[in-house]
Each structure stands twice: as C-alpha cells, then as structure tokens.
C-alpha cells in the first residue's frame, strides 16, 4: 500500500490539542517542512515532545512563538532564549527530563511497555517521593512510558511502504518516536520504490509509518547554521 | 595564555590513549582542538555519535551531522552513529571512561551542581545528570572563582545537585585538585600562587600534597 500523501493532507490529520512528538536534536532530524505546514494550518493547544526547542525563529520555536503550543516536554532549551523567556513569563508550560530518560520513556512506549525503573536523579530535586519504589531491598525511581498521538519525522530516504533510513546525527529520537506515536508522518527528500533499500539497512520498518510526504527540495532551514561554524 | 587556554591545555592531558570520552558543552568541548590529529580516542556525543572528531573542512561540513554542542564535526575512522536511547545506554552502562564537564559549584565531597540556578537559569537537564552519575571518572573544568570573585569550590554545594559524590578531579585556572576520602588535595598549581592565597579563593578546606610532583595523578 502506498502511503504517499500531500503535505496538506498529512498535516490536516492533526487536530488542535494533539500530543505531537517531533524528531531532531538541534537541526538534524527536525522536520522543518512538516512544522511549517502545521504553522500554516494553525492547530492550537498542542503538546509537543522534542529534545530541544530549536533556536529562536526556527523549527518548533515558530510554533511556540505563534502561540500554538501550550506545553513542551523536553530536555534542554538553552539555545532558545525566546522559549526561555516565554517559560519564565508563564506563557509556556515546560516539563524537563534528563535526556536519556526522555529517550527511554519514548522507547518504552514504543516497545508496548508501561514504564521502567531507574536510579538516575534519585537523589536530586527532579524526583518526588511518590515516584519512588522499594523493591527487594533497593529503591528505584519509576519512570512511566511516554506515547503520543502523532510523530513528525524527517528521514533522509524512504520508500512508499514507509521504510525509513536516517542519516548522520539526524537519527537521534526519530526511530524511537516512530514506534511510540499512534500516527506517524514522515517527510523525505528522497522517496523510492520498495526494493530500493537493502532490507537489513532499514532503520524504521514501514509498519510504524502511516504517511510519507515527498519533499521536492530542502529549504535553507536544513542548511549549515553560520554561528555554529568555528572560525 | 588566556584563563580558558590554561585550563584546556592542562585538561587535555587527562585523556588517555584508547579511552572513550565525553566532552561537555562549553569549555570542555574545546579540548578536542588540543588533541593531536592522530590521537587514539573515541569521543562520544550524546546526540548519537561514538568517534566524533574535529570540525569538518568547509567543503565537507554536513548540516545533518553535528555534535551535542552544535558543532559540524567530522567522524574518525571506526565511528558509529545511533539513536538517543542507545547513546544513553552507553552512558548509563558506564562505558564512558571519562567525562569532562563544567560546574556552577563543586564541593569537598565531590558533589556537582551545574544544571540549575533557581530563579535565574533553568534551561533544562540535558545529558548532565546521566553523565555525572554514571561516567567512571568525572573531571570538572571551571574557573576557580565566579565572575564576582566568589569561590566555586565549596564546603557543601548550595545549588540543586546534578549528582552526588561524582567528581574525581577539579581543574581550574589556578590548580589541579583531587577529591579524596580525606577531602580536597591540591596536586598541581598552574600559576605562581601561595598555598594561603589559593586557600583564600576556596571555601572548602584544601590539603596541600607534599613531595608530589606535577605528574602525580593519584
């Protein structure tokens, strides 16, 4: 079954108030084109789950700055002063997790489980007494799995069946989110017919993917950020 | 030599051949540029790289390949790329030999505070908590005092902790200090400074190693 859709069709499936995972660590893996269409369609009251908030004026920061996001579940927003200001002004509700714990919460949901036990942050202020579990003489922190209604992902290459291949450091949260969301929308600049990939080289099998959007070209959003180049 | 260069040129000696190392965002990430090009090390970056190396040549920079600090890194021979769950499995399974990391405060028990200043600075935890809690050896790189001249090496940290009793060594612009069972021990001085002067800039009590040369690494 061909999963190709137009970008308008694919994003129109997302209602206001949805919980949406978005791939990417900084720029690599951020699905800028899908985000731009979500900005254009204007759904509001969104809960976003992403490693970071991109940088001011880029990626999901556009959705935040446009007032479409009520809550952000993330690990670090240090590169986005605009998001920090909105958080400090009480206009954006932010939930922080240690980075690998956020990844594992998503992976756990994606594996069909409900939670896991950890010792990360056990002695720190991020742990509340009600999160603790004493089990067979040890104390653990309970971390619940984190799922979502939608995931928006960027794949370097995909086929019509939704088989995905990521590139460089753009893997990051994407294969985990593909497994943890109920409806997975993928953008790719390189859409191929089934059979194009060596089967063992596929990162995300098509079973997890609902919709594939072919991008005619990558905009300047996907390019090198000058201020990250060391002179 | 600037203060940062003094810290970095000493810190680079902490990296032993054949090791797996994470260099925190900010000052520590600059250590890479002090390593010889053929140095045998695998640099881990928490966004999913083992074998990150110095910034790629302009024509080879790949917008889809950055390290956790956002730098357009190259990849060393034998590098691997993986997802964030695997990246943090490497950390939590204690496969990193060394992490060098910054600090707001560090104390005589090796407690580290580097992620939050309540009411002033709370951009999130990132990978700091897992790196601090699970890396085999944590070396803190920091200015000896803050921008107001107040000590950053304290009896007991006052800011929210990143992790308890995790720090092995502190390298500042003035000295190399080890966290031991008997408190803080000064191993080397990086500038011409008396014991009394160094103590004055440090809230925690310092012990001064006697008869130990600059190559002693405890």
């Amino acid at each position: 079954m061909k999963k190709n859709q137009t970008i308008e069709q694919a994003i129109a499936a997302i209602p206001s108030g949805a919980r949406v995972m978005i791939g990417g660590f900084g720029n690599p893996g951020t699905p800028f084109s899908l985000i731009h269409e979500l900005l254009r369609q204007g759904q509001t009251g969104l809960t976003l789950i992403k490693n970071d908030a991109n940088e001011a004026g880029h990626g999901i920061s556009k959705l935040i700055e446009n007032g479409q996001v009520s809550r952000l579940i993330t690990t670090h927003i240090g590169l986005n002063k605009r998001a920090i200001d909105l958080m400090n002004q009480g206009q954006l509700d932010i939930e922080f997790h240690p980075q690998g714990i956020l990844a594992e919460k998503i992976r756990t949901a994606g594996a069909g489980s409900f939670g896991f036990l950890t010792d990360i942050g056990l002695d720190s202020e991020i742990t509340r007494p009600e999160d603790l579990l004493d089990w067979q003489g040890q104390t653990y922190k309970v971390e619940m799995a984190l799922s979502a209604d939608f995931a928006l992902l960027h794949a370097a290459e995909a086929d019509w069946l939704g088989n995905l291949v990521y590139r460089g450091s753009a893997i990051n949260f994407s294969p985990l989110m593909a497994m943890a969301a109920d409806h997975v929308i993928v953008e790719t600049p390189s859409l191929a017919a089934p059979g194009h990939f060596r089967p063992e080289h596929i990162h995300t099998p098509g079973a997890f993917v609902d919709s594939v959007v072919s991008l005619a070209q990558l905009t300047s959003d996907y390019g090198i950020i000058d201020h990250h180049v060391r002179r | 030599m600037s203060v940062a260069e003094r810290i970095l040129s000493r810190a680079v000696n902490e990296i032993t051949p054949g090791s797996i190392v994470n260099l925190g965002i900010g000052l520590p990430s600059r250590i890479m540029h002090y390593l010889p090009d053929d140095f045998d090390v695998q640099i881990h970056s928490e966004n999913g790289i083992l074998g990150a190396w110095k910034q790629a040549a302009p024509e080879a920079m790949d917008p889809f390949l950055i390290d956790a600090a956002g730098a357009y890194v190259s990849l060393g021979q034998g590098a691997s790329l993986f997802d964030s769950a695997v990246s943090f499995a490497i950390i939590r399974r204690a496969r990193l030999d060394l992490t060098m990391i910054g600090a707001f405060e560090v104390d005589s028990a090796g407690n580290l505070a580097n992620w939050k200043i309540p009411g002033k600075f709370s951009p999130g935890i990132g990978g700091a908590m897992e790196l601090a809690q699970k890396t085999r050896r944590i070396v803190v790189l920091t200015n000896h005092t803050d921008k107001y001249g107040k000590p950053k090496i304290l009896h007991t940290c006052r800011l929210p902790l990143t992790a308890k009793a995790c720090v092995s060594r502190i390298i500042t612009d003035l000295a190399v200090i080890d966290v031991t069972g008997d408190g803080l021990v000064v191993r080397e001085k990086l500038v011409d400074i008396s014991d009394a002067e160094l103590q004055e800039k440090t809230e925690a009590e310092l012990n001064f190693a006697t008869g130990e040369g600059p190559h002693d690494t405890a």
Side-chain angles (χ1 to χ4, degrees):
Chain A
M1 189 194 85
K2 283 194 182 184
K3 295 177 178 174
N4 313 21
Q5 281 192 309
T6 66
I7 196 164
E8 294 83 3
Q9 285 172 332
I11 295 300
I14 302 174
S16 286
R19 197 173 162 89
V20 185
M21 291 176 170
I22 301 191
F25 187 120
N27 266 12
T30 300
F32 290 102
S33 301
L34 297 179
I35 291 168
H36 192 263
E37 179 61 18
L38 189 53
L39 183 76
R40 196 188 67 79
Q41 293 190 11
Q43 289 89 331
T44 57
L46 302 171
T47 294
L48 299 189
I49 302 168
K50 186 182 188 292
N51 174 67
D52 54 84
N54 290 113
E55 297 186 24
H58 292 275
I60 67 162
S61 192
K62 285 184 175 173
L63 299 173
I64 294 169
E65 293 166 30
N66 196 38
Q68 292 173 255
V69 181
S70 56
R71 185 169 172 75
L72 174 64
I73 302 173
T74 187
T75 79
H76 198 278
I77 60 168
L79 289 178
N80 189 337
K81 192 177 176 305
R82 188 85 186 95
I84 290 176
D85 288 345
L86 289 171
M87 172 180 72
N88 290 341
Q89 292 160 14
Q91 290 180 48
L92 176 64
D93 183 17
I94 300 199
E95 177 181 320
F96 287 117
H97 294 281
Q99 199 164 92
I101 295 300
L102 182 65
E104 193 64 15
K105 287 165 84 76
I106 296 168
R107 196 201 67 80
T108 299
S113 297
F114 300 94
F116 60 95
L117 304 181
T118 185
D119 63 349
I120 296 300
L122 203 58
D123 296 327
S124 79
E125 69 164 39
I126 67 167
T127 300
R128 305 165 303 175
E130 60 265 37
D131 299 327
L132 297 176
L133 176 72
D134 288 315
W135 182 252
Q136 298 184 344
Q138 293 284 321
T139 300
Y140 302 97
K141 182 179 184 188
V142 178
E143 290 283 2
M144 298 303 291
L146 186 65
S147 59
D149 303 317
F150 293 87
L152 307 185
L153 308 175
H154 179 93
E157 298 178 87
D159 68 20
W160 306 331
L161 297 174
N163 291 309
L164 308 181
V165 172
Y166 313 100
R167 188 163 75 78
S169 68
I171 308 174
N172 59 70
F173 282 75
S174 297
L176 313 172
M177 290 175 168
M179 293 161 62
D182 294 339
H183 185 118
V184 175
I185 302 169
V186 179
E187 59 164 53
T188 183
S190 177
L191 181 61
H196 174 71
F197 302 120
R198 274 186 59 176
E200 63 270 43
H201 286 179
I202 290 168
H203 286 124
T204 293
F208 287 113
V209 174
D210 298 282
S211 172
V212 180
V213 172
S214 177
L215 303 177
Q217 58 183 22
L218 295 183
T219 59
S220 60
D221 289 325
Y222 297 85
I224 297 280
I225 303 175
D226 269 344
H227 61 261
H228 286 298
V229 176
R230 182 187 162 92
R231 304 291 175 191
Chain B
M1 205 189 303
S2 74
V3 162
E5 285 168 345
R6 191 153 69 229
I7 296 173
L8 292 168
S9 53
R10 174 58 187 81
V12 71
N13 299 331
E14 298 292 312
I15 300 179
T16 53
S19 58
I20 298 178
V21 178
N22 186 291
L23 302 173
I25 293 171
L27 191 65
S29 65
R30 290 166 55 186
I31 294 171
M32 205 193 285
H33 303 287
Y34 288 70
L35 287 165
D37 281 335
D38 58 351
F39 196 84
D40 175 22
V41 63
Q42 283 194 290
I43 294 178
H44 172 269
S45 189
E46 50 274 40
N47 62 329
I49 308 175
L50 187 60
W53 195 237
K54 300 177 188 184
Q55 181 171 284
E59 66 280 7
M61 276 185 202
D62 180 352
F64 287 86
L65 180 60
I66 61 171
D67 67 8
Y72 295 104
V73 292
S74 57
L75 296 178
Q77 288 292 324
S80 52
L81 299 165
F82 33 79
D83 68 54
S84 295
V86 170
S87 189
F88 278 84
I90 290 173
I91 297 170
R92 292 195 303 269
R93 290 287 291 134
R95 293 289 178 171
L96 299 185
D97 298 300
L98 170 68
T99 289
M100 292 207 252
I101 200 164
F104 298 144
E105 297 176 349
V106 57
D107 70 23
S108 47
N111 296 319
L112 172 67
N114 79 347
W115 75 279
K116 184 178 186 180
I117 303 174
K120 281 187 185 168
F121 180 84
S122 53
I125 303 154
M129 216 169 254
E130 287 153 282
L131 285 165
Q133 202 173 323
K134 295 295 184 180
T135 304
R136 292 176 191 167
R137 180 173 169 80
I138 296 286
V139 173
V140 162
L141 307 187
T142 178
N143 287 3
H144 204 90
T145 55
D146 70 15
K147 61 183 173 183
Y148 306 107
K150 295 196 327 202
K152 295 181 75 170
I153 305 173
L154 308 179
H155 289 299
T156 305
C157 289
R158 292 183 272 271
L159 292 172
L161 292 187
T162 308
K164 277 187 179 171
C166 60
V167 177
S168 296
R169 171 166 281 190
I170 306 163
I171 299 178
T172 77
D173 49 320
L174 304 180
V176 178
I177 300 168
D178 279 340
V179 180
T180 76
D182 300 320
L184 301 182
V185 178
V186 178
R187 299 291 181 195
E188 297 169 36
K189 291 176 187 168
L190 302 182
V191 294
D192 186 16
I193 188 171
S194 71
D195 290 0
E197 249 181 308
L198 190 60
Q199 180 63 72
E200 197 183 319
K201 293 175 183 292
T202 313
E203 184 191 282
E205 187 186 339
L206 297 176
N207 298 289
F208 291 88
T210 51
E212 291 175 89
H215 302 296
D216 181 80
T217 50

